[in-house]
Amino acid sequence: MKRLRRLRQNEVMRDLVRETRLCVKDFIYPIFVIDGENLKIPVKSMPNVYQYSIDRLSEILDEVRESKISGVMLFGIPKAEDKDEIASMAYNEDGITQRAVRYIKKNYPELICITDICLCEYTSHGHCGVVKDGEILNDETLPLLCKMAVSLVKAGADMVAPSDMMDGRVASIREALDLEGYKNTPIMAYSAKFASAYYGPFRDAAHSSPCFGDRRSYQMDFTNGQEALREIEADIEEGADIVMVKPALAYLDILKEACQEFNMPVAVYNVSGEYSMVKAAAREGWIDEKRIVTENLIAMKRAGASIIITYHALDMAKWLNE
């Protein structure tokens, strides 16, 4: 008789043969930076997540540094009156995200600072691209994404992460960065980004809900797996250094296939809805939060993720460091 239970008898034995392990260096923590002063605004749909003004960023960045996780991903939130149809604050040298990057690289230089590249937080209509007659235009959006990426790298960003899902944006951004002398700046592409209901709390946090329609004409149909692999392959051909699958839990099959198919780092974004569901259930006492979060993140790592972007990062780092 095969006795597989022999290696499960106690914690020491289980730990000895453990196949998958989490490390604090696996994690990137998303941060929302809002224009203004002395602001720490709770995101109602995301417990323990806040919007920070730059003068209060140190409160969360000190935690990040102490946790030893690898770095942060920034999402900037300009003032409502500064939003316009061409997202001009996305590539303004004095924009909220550019100022936040300069602050981080001056005061926390050891942290990797990744900047999301998308127009939705900065447009008056809330879509990720230029809009004309109700249509989100692909090619007209690309130059604005390039300007945004270049401006943020000039400010000090270590990596850019285009999340807009416009065709050809990785190649355009790569060319723009190279022309400006930033040949060594990596691109983490949101390659398989699905049009998902799991993004709801994020749109509250980033003030980025579209004013009309939805994003299904540019984000992926969640029913399509092979198309996701084609998107990833296209971004690799265009020069992406890291590719991403987003969301995480409902798309672990895509993540695993991508990791098996492509010999390069693959990131996964454990998104706001996934986070908030765990937090809500934990508050009600229905689940053991630590065990559920650990199990979820292990599933992502087991499926092959090299990098996990998650709002659980600081909690998980504390549990690991214990």
Side-chain angles (χ1 to χ4, degrees):
M1 179 186 297
K2 289 186 178 179
R3 295 192 181 274
L4 299 178
R5 289 179 55 191
R6 290 189 188 113
L7 300 180
R8 304 174 195 159
Q9 295 180 68
N10 55 59
E11 181 59 28
V12 176
M13 188 68 75
R14 290 191 294 271
D15 191 53
L16 179 67
V17 298
R18 192 154 283 149
E19 298 175 15
T20 308
R21 299 176 189 273
L22 292 170
C23 170
V24 293
K25 295 300 182 183
D26 298 333
F27 303 134
I28 295 292
Y29 184 65
I31 295 179
F32 300 99
V33 187
I34 192 166
D35 210 345
E37 295 181 359
N38 193 30
L39 298 175
K40 182 182 177 182
I41 304 171
V43 179
K44 292 181 179 179
S45 56
M46 298 181 70
N48 301 332
V49 173
Y50 300 86
Q51 301 164 336
Y52 296 89
S53 55
I54 292 175
D55 58 342
R56 296 192 65 175
L57 263 181
S58 62
E59 297 176 29
I60 188 64
L61 291 172
D62 285 346
E63 286 189 52
V64 172
R65 178 160 59 187
E66 184 178 351
S67 75
K68 307 297 184 184
I69 69 174
S70 291
V72 297
M73 177 175 280
L74 290 187
F75 298 90
I77 308 168
K79 295 177 180 177
E81 59 267 27
D82 290 335
K83 297 186 179 189
D84 57 32
E85 292 188 355
I86 57 171
S88 57
M89 290 306 293
Y91 41 87
N92 187 308
E93 289 186 7
D94 198 40
I96 177 60
T97 316
Q98 286 78 359
R99 285 182 281 131
V101 170
R102 288 193 289 268
Y103 176 86
I104 291 171
K105 297 315 296 182
K106 178 181 178 181
N107 297 285
Y108 302 85
E110 71 276 19
L111 295 180
I112 293 174
C113 182
I114 306 170
T115 52
D116 180 76
I117 303 298
C118 193
L119 306 184
C120 59
E121 294 106 307
Y122 307 89
T123 54
S124 52
H125 47 70
H127 275 287
C128 302
V130 175
V131 174
K132 183 176 181 181
D133 299 328
E135 180 184 357
I136 294 82
L137 303 178
N138 191 97
D139 295 3
E140 290 81 356
T141 299
L142 299 182
L144 303 186
L145 296 171
C146 292
K147 290 171 68 175
M148 182 181 184
V150 168
S151 72
L152 288 165
V153 174
K154 282 183 177 179
D158 298 299
M159 186 186 304
V160 294
S163 64
D164 55 283
M165 289 300 288
M166 298 296 128
D167 291 334
R169 88 272 200 216
V170 173
S172 296
I173 291 171
R174 181 74 274 160
E175 182 180 9
L177 291 175
D178 290 354
L179 287 173
E180 291 291 333
Y182 300 116
K183 294 182 179 180
N184 291 326
T185 300
I187 296 174
M188 176 195 289
Y190 288 65
S191 299
K193 180 180 179 181
F194 292 86
S196 172
Y198 284 103
Y199 303 149
F202 174 91
R203 290 171 184 168
D204 292 339
H207 299 175
S208 62
S209 295
C211 292
F212 67 90
D214 54 41
R215 294 180 175 143
R216 286 183 288 181
S217 68
Y218 44 103
Q219 293 179 358
M220 282 193 57
D221 189 324
F222 66 84
T223 64
N224 295 352
Q226 292 305 306
E227 183 186 359
L229 297 180
R230 293 197 297 272
E231 286 277 10
I232 292 169
E233 185 175 25
D235 283 354
I236 293 170
E237 290 174 352
E238 291 182 19
D241 302 281
I242 302 169
V243 293
M244 185 197 300
V245 175
K246 179 185 180 187
L249 292 175
Y251 301 90
L252 292 177
D253 59 323
I254 308 299
L255 173 61
K256 189 170 184 67
E257 285 193 58
C259 292
Q260 291 174 339
E261 181 75 17
F262 305 107
N263 184 27
M264 66 182 305
V266 180
V268 68
Y269 199 143
N270 180 208
V271 299
S272 59
E274 297 167 333
Y275 169 87
S276 294
M277 288 193 301
V278 170
K279 285 291 186 181
R283 277 189 171 183
E284 294 294 326
W286 296 338
I287 61 170
D288 181 323
E289 182 178 354
K290 178 180 176 180
R291 290 186 63 187
I292 288 289
V293 172
T294 303
E295 192 170 336
N296 286 347
L297 298 183
I298 280 286
M300 299 168 207
K301 188 77 179 287
R302 191 178 63 242
S306 305
I307 300 163
I308 302 174
I309 304 162
T310 177
Y311 304 94
H312 294 296
L314 297 181
D315 285 337
M316 193 69 240
K318 290 176 185 175
W319 296 329
L320 290 172
N321 288 329
E322 288 172 357

